[in-house]
Amino acid sequence: MRKVRKGDRVKVISGNDKGKIGRVLVVYPERERIIVENVRMITKHQRATQTMREPGIVRREGTIHISNVLPICSDCGLPTRVGFTVVDGDKMRRCNQCGKAFR
Ligand SMILES: [Zn+2]
C-alpha cells in the first residue's frame, strides 16, 4: 500500500516546482519516485533518427521523489499526510486533515 498512487492529485511541497498541483502519471515504487503532470519539466534535444526524422526539442516530465509531494484529499481538498485504516476488511488510506478514508 502506497501513500501516493497513480491518478492522485498531489501538491508539490519542495523543490523548484513547490506549490504546483498535478496528477500522478507514473509511479516507480522500487525507486519511490513518481512523474507528475507538468512538474519538473525537462527539455530534451532530440536528434533525428530513422523513426523520427524531425530533430527538435521535446519537453517532458522528469521524476521526483515521493516525499516531495502530498496527496490532495478528494473530500476536503487539502494536501495531507495520509495514514492507513481498515474499512470492511479493506486497507484504505486516511486523510489526516479530515479523517475520511479513501482508496
Ligand atoms: Zn480530507
Side-chain angles (χ1 to χ4, degrees):
M1 190 73 165
R2 297 275 155 191
K3 296 194 172 187
V4 176
R5 292 174 149 201
K6 187 179 173 182
D8 280 353
R9 284 181 78 222
V10 296
K11 182 168 189 181
V12 180
I13 53 169
S14 66
N16 287 343
D17 290 310
K18 188 174 175 178
K20 274 196 186 173
I21 289 172
R23 202 164 285 279
V24 177
L25 302 176
V26 185
V27 179
Y28 300 101
E30 69 288 348
R31 292 194 288 148
E32 300 199 308
R33 297 185 76 84
I34 58 176
I35 291 177
V36 182
E37 63 178 349
N38 295 321
V39 170
R40 184 122 181 212
M41 296 304 291
I42 52 176
T43 304
K44 287 190 82 174
H45 295 267
Q46 193 86 51
R47 284 194 195 184
T49 62
Q50 289 195 326
T51 49
M52 254 185 55
R53 245 171 277 160
E54 289 289 317
I57 293 167
V58 177
R59 279 174 65 74
R60 64 175 178 84
E61 289 91 351
T63 65
I64 59 173
H65 195 262
I66 263 174
S67 65
N68 290 337
V69 303
L70 285 178
I72 293 175
C73 173
S74 53
D75 241 298
C76 64
L78 294 170
T80 179
R81 300 204 177 273
V82 295
F84 295 107
T85 184
V86 176
V87 179
D88 297 332
D90 274 338
K91 197 169 180 191
M92 308 268 283
R93 294 182 292 176
R94 190 176 61 82
C95 171
N96 278 1
Q97 299 281 352
C98 68
K100 289 262 175 65
F102 62 98
R103 288 207 172 270

